[in-house]
Structures are given as C-alpha cells and as structure tokens.
Amino acid sequence: MNTQPSSDFSLPPELEAALKRRSETERRQLATLWHRLGTLEPPLEGVPNTEQAWNALSHRLRPNTRTASLPRQRTRLRWPLIAMLFIGLGLLGMFWLNQPRSVTVPLGIIQTVTFDDGSTVFLRGGSKLIYPRSPFSPRPRWLRLEGEALFAVAPGPLLTISTPWAHVEVLGTRLSVRAWPEASETQVTLLEGRIRVRATTQPEHALLLTTPGQHVRLSARQPFPPTPERVDPEYVLAWQRGGFVVIDEPVTTVLRELERSFGLRIEVTGSLPLTRRLTVLYQHDAQVERILQDLCLMLSCHYRRISRGFVLEPDSAAMP
Amino acid sequence: MTDDLQTLCERLRASDQAALGVLFHRLRLPLLRYVRTIVGDGVVAHDLVQDVFLDLWMRRTTLNPTQPLRPYVYRMARNRALRHLRDERRRARKRAEHLGAPPATDPLQPDTLAETHQLETLLARWLEALPERQREALVLSRWHGLSHQEIAQVMGISPRTVNNHLLRALDTLHQRLKALALIP
C-alpha cells in the first residue's frame, strides 16, 4: 500500500520544519527514532482475514436492504394513527363545546351571570340557569331557566329564554321571568322594550308584549294566549332590593319562597289551608319573622323556631 | 489515490455496493490496526470495524464527495471505538457496584531493565505510556501515514496541535532513550 507519504527515514515535513533549529545530531537521532517506531506495530492476530470479513459484511448488508423499507411502512401506519388522534381530539372538543354550562344559585343569595356582550342575568337564590358554551359569539342563543330571574339583555341577535311553560324571544330588553318548579306555571313580566312569548304546549302561536309592566302567566290550565295583566315593576323586582313580594299564589309557594329567600326550612304540622291563594307585599327590608307573624294572622296559626328554621302549627282553636 | 477515494465516495452515494467492497479491501486493515490501538483487542476491533462499514453504507446518501473520505472513515472508526471504551468503562463500573468490591487492578510496574534488554520492547512500552492524544497522533502519522491535515480532521484538532503532539511525543521518547544511554 502506498499510503506512506515519505520514506522511512524522513520525518513529515511539518515536523522537519519544527526541528530546523535543533542540532544536526539530534535531528538524526529523532529520524532514527521515527524509523524505529515504524517497526513497533504488533502484528494483527486472531482476526478473520479481509475476505472472510467482507463476506460477513455483505451478508449483513443484504437483510438491510430489506429492512430499509421498514421505516416507510411504519410511517404509513403512523399517519392514520395521528389523523385518528386528531379526529378524536376534535370530537372530544365538540362534545365539550356542546355540553351546556349551568349555574345553580345557593339559597338565600342573589347571583349574577354576565355574558360578553354585557347581557346580565340576576338569579334569585335556588334558581338554575343552563346555557350553551358559545366560544364564537358574545352571548349564547338560548338560556334555560328554572326559578326566577331578571334579564337585562343587550341589543343583539335573537335570544330565547326557555322555561317549563313558556319560550320568550328577546332582542334587547329587560324582563323578569318567574318559573319555579313547584308552581307549574311561568310568569313573564316585561320591564322595557318588547318580547314575544310562546307557550311550550302551542309553540306555533306567539303573544307580543310591548308595554312595560305587562305580565302574563302561562300554564297547562290556561288557554293561549292569556290576557296580559298589569303589575307594578317595583313588585316584581322587590326581591332585588331585599323585599318579599308574592302576587296571588298558593300558600305552598309562599312558604317555599320564604325558604329560598332566607335560606331556611319551614315545616308545617297539622292541617293548614295550603292551597289558599295569597298576595304578600313587603317591598323593602323583609324580615322572615314579620312575614310569618302576618301569615299566621291570616291563616290563624302560630310559628315556632327550630334549629334550621320554623315550624308552623295551626292554632288550637282552629283544631277540631 | 485521494481522487480515487473520492470517486469511490461518489459511487457509494449512488448506492454502488461494489464500491463499498473496493473501499473495504483498501481500508479495512488500516482501520483494524488503528482501532486496535484504541481498544487494545483485535477481535473487538474487528467487530467495531465491521460496524463502521455497515454504518458507512447506511449513511451513504449523506456523504459529501468534496470532503476527504479517508479521515472521515477514520473519524467514524475513532468515535465508535471511543464509545465502545466508554460503554465498557460504564459496564465495568456497574459490575463493580454490583459486586461491591472494586476490581483489583495491577499496579503500574516500573520499567525494569533487568527483564527487557531489547530496545524495541522498551520503546513499545514507552509508547504505551505516552499521553493518549500524543500517542494517537503518533500512531496515525507513523503507522498509518496520515498527513497532519488528515490527523487533524480525525482527531478534531488543528494541524498545529497535531504537530505539537508529535513533537512532544518524539521528545519524550528521545529523552528516555538518552537517559538510558541507549543512544550514543
């Protein structure tokens, strides 16, 4: 092999240049040393010769040409997997977006829900509001209410408020909706602007309310469209200022409303005229004991404090 | 000669297996000798060199024909050998941890003139005792006939440093010979 660039006695040119300053004898000695070093390499032993080694290597090369196609197969298999993963993630995201959100207000307090366009819902204690997540629009297209709430809806696309007995279609307005589960009716009061009300039983007919203070009740019993009454908005919104107002509703509803407004329990023992319809008006600073006193006066009963609330008992005179 | 290697490099890039054969027949023995000086065992060196050629074939498409092929292959072999040494050391350490006791190592024997009268044996031993990089540069230059430029590429240092390594190695050996008055 002709890999040696210089004859055995001569040093590589760079070394030669570096040794120029040394003495002649030292240069000669170093050249001899350099020559000696060349003979020092121990012989290779116990190793396959080149021919055998080449055969072994070409043997290893052959299967490699086959395995060379393996990575491509693996990528081919991987792409659908990645696509499936993305589709799965997309479906999960859509499922998540379709899951409506819900707000349930604890008893005894008032909670506010505000949407991105400034529309606000004031929810009375014990109410539940359900609405879809709408990441692409400032406010959802529909709301579902169980309970009582004041809606202040900013102008914008049509919003439908659904309750068990009524759908209310709103563009930009203020209104109060009262739809407690135990009442089996929905009350809608317009405070500002205009709204369209449909009964869930006859959704093809609509009733347009345009005058503030117009008030309708929808239930299974009443024919549609009901004749709008007029109520004082102050009464309808008394709960917002700490008042307690119930207009023409049965005693059971009044008691439930007391429970929800003040976060306590009211139990009834004995027979009280629970279906009697009442109107209770406390516009400011309603206190539960004063309401109960007045209630007992009307129903001829008395109340007793218990740990979690009150018990109403009929007066012994009223008992047979 | 180098031109020849570069055309082989071109053929390799074009997946010509015969070119690998020519290259193998030309470079296998030098590489084997070189790797043996690093790992110290011929059979291990043989395995490593086989792997080097296999690796060269696998990465044939990434070869650069304008780069000198010989230092490149030497460097591949060197990396592989050093990696092997590192793995060996780690394995030995693991084994030592498992067994609890460190393996007994022979203490370095001082050069005993009484045993070896032969100059060649002495020189070989001193060569072994040289600092690793100096010895490597010397081996590549003397036994493999690589130019300073090529050694620099293989070892990843500058040609100037190669020259310094060589000078220092030669001087050390020279001093030792002189100290024993083996040189007139």
Side-chain angles (χ1 to χ4, degrees):
Chain A
M1 246 171 53
N2 183 23
T3 49
Q4 241 74 331
S6 48
S7 83
D8 272 348
F9 270 90
S10 60
L11 295 162
E14 293 92 338
L15 267 180
E16 200 80 70
L19 291 174
K20 263 210 179 103
R21 299 240 181 94
R22 310 259 178 116
S23 67
E24 178 63 36
T25 39
E26 200 178 346
R27 286 224 299 270
R28 198 164 33 76
Q29 286 169 355
L30 283 175
T32 320
L33 176 60
W34 183 257
H35 170 64
R36 278 230 175 86
L37 285 172
T39 62
L40 280 182
E41 191 173 8
L44 271 173
E45 276 162 0
V47 198
N49 67 33
T50 301
E51 218 41 62
Q52 290 167 341
W54 172 245
N55 286 340
L57 185 68
S58 25
H59 209 78
R60 282 168 76 185
L61 288 178
R62 228 171 292 133
N64 273 317
T65 50
R66 219 189 310 135
T67 52
S69 62
L70 252 183
R72 218 185 307 139
Q73 274 181 356
R74 215 175 290 147
T75 51
R76 219 181 287 141
L77 211 137
R78 210 179 289 146
W79 272 112
L81 262 175
I82 290 170
M84 294 248 298
L85 202 79
F86 269 96
I87 290 170
L89 278 176
L91 285 176
L92 244 154
M94 274 162 70
F95 179 74
W96 179 80
L97 283 179
N98 277 332
Q99 284 298 99
R101 302 181 61 172
S102 83
V103 176
T104 305
V105 187
L107 295 183
I109 66 161
I110 295 171
Q111 193 170 325
T112 318
V113 175
T114 308
F115 296 107
D116 287 348
D117 68 338
S119 300
T120 310
V121 184
F122 301 89
L123 288 157
R124 227 174 148 176
S127 305
K128 186 178 180 189
L129 183 73
I130 300 166
Y131 57 94
R133 291 169 212 274
S134 39
F136 308 116
S137 66
R139 75 158 185 246
R141 280 196 305 273
W142 57 263
L143 306 168
R144 193 170 298 136
L145 175 72
E146 286 169 19
E148 185 166 359
L150 164 71
F151 294 87
V153 181
L158 187 74
L159 171 72
T160 305
I161 302 164
S162 300
T163 68
W165 299 103
H167 297 303
V168 187
E169 289 163 8
V170 175
L171 282 168
T173 174
R174 259 156 43 86
L175 76 153
S176 160
V177 180
R178 181 177 163 87
W180 291 107
E182 81 274 0
S184 73
E185 68 169 6
T186 294
Q187 302 181 19
V188 180
T189 311
L190 176 66
L191 302 171
E192 203 181 300
R194 42 201 285 161
I195 54 176
R196 199 156 45 217
V197 181
R198 297 173 194 273
T200 45
T201 47
Q202 294 152 278
E204 61 279 3
H205 300 296
L207 172 66
L208 191 69
L209 300 186
T210 51
T211 321
Q214 273 186 318
H215 174 85
V216 286
R217 296 177 176 220
L218 288 96
S219 67
R221 298 186 303 275
Q222 286 188 316
F224 194 88
T227 39
E229 306 163 36
R230 288 198 62 88
V231 295
D232 189 342
E234 293 287 303
Y235 291 167
V236 175
L237 297 179
W239 56 269
Q240 271 207 305
R241 296 181 303 267
F244 185 86
V245 171
V246 179
I247 301 166
D248 187 27
E249 288 195 62
V251 173
T252 14
T253 308
V254 177
L255 294 180
R256 285 286 297 128
E257 190 123 342
L258 275 173
E259 288 184 332
R260 284 191 297 256
S261 306
F262 297 101
L264 41 82
R265 263 196 75 70
I266 296 177
E267 290 167 13
V268 176
T269 60
S271 57
L272 279 178
L274 291 178
T275 49
R276 219 173 106 182
R277 294 181 86 84
L278 290 177
T279 294
V280 185
L281 298 175
Y282 292 88
Q283 288 201 49
H284 311 278
D285 307 323
Q287 281 152 8
V288 65
E289 296 223 24
R290 282 193 51 197
I291 299 171
L292 282 174
Q293 276 170 12
D294 291 354
L295 210 60
C296 283
L297 217 64
M298 284 161 75
L299 301 173
S300 63
C301 62
H302 58 271
Y303 67 88
R304 191 155 51 78
R305 239 209 124 87
I306 55 170
S307 64
R308 285 182 302 159
F310 297 92
V311 180
L312 291 191
E313 288 167 337
D315 283 337
S316 46
M319 287 177 80
Chain B
M1 156 102 201
T2 44
D3 289 345
D4 203 7
L5 278 180
Q6 293 324 112
T7 47
L8 278 180
C9 183
E10 291 273 17
R11 280 170 61 192
L12 262 185
R13 262 169 69 88
S15 296
D16 182 356
Q17 203 168 316
L20 187 75
V22 175
L23 200 67
F24 186 84
H25 283 91
R26 184 171 300 174
L27 285 183
R28 187 226 173 202
L29 272 179
L31 281 177
L32 195 53
R33 279 160 44 215
Y34 173 51
V35 171
R36 192 191 49 177
T37 61
I38 301 178
V39 300
D41 181 78
V43 178
V44 174
H46 163 76
D47 287 341
L48 290 173
V49 170
Q50 296 287 92
D51 289 344
V52 166
F53 279 99
L54 201 64
D55 195 17
L56 184 70
W57 180 250
M58 297 303 253
R59 63 168 75 173
R60 58 192 181 273
T61 49
T62 64
L63 290 177
N64 183 355
T66 58
Q67 289 278 352
L69 185 61
R70 190 155 71 135
Y72 182 80
V73 179
Y74 266 78
R75 194 174 170 81
M76 279 174 72
R78 180 177 190 264
N79 288 340
R80 201 166 270 273
L82 292 180
R83 203 186 316 144
H84 170 81
L85 279 188
R86 198 191 53 208
D87 294 349
E88 273 299 289
R89 269 200 297 276
R90 189 178 302 152
R91 225 170 288 146
R93 208 168 43 237
K94 281 255 173 64
R95 217 177 294 136
E97 277 167 16
H98 263 293
L99 297 176
T105 47
D106 293 330
L108 277 174
Q109 297 286 334
D111 294 346
T112 43
L113 255 179
E115 279 178 32
T116 55
H117 298 282
Q118 274 189 315
L119 182 62
E120 310 295 313
T121 329
L122 259 183
L123 261 182
R125 187 174 289 182
W126 289 340
L127 190 63
E128 282 298 310
L130 280 178
E132 210 169 299
R133 317 215 84 195
Q134 290 182 20
R135 184 168 61 100
E136 192 174 5
L138 193 59
V139 161
L140 284 173
S141 180
R142 186 65 190 92
W143 292 351
H144 294 268
L146 262 63
S147 70
H148 279 39
Q149 188 64 41
E150 286 177 314
I151 298 172
Q153 281 177 32
V154 173
M155 292 179 66
I157 52 181
S158 73
R160 227 185 136 72
T161 318
V162 173
N163 205 33
N164 288 339
H165 279 326
L166 287 176
L167 260 181
R168 229 164 269 153
L170 277 181
D171 279 339
T172 309
L173 295 175
H174 187 219
Q175 292 300 325
R176 298 190 97 164
L177 282 176
K178 258 185 38 198
L180 289 174
L182 289 171
I183 284 183

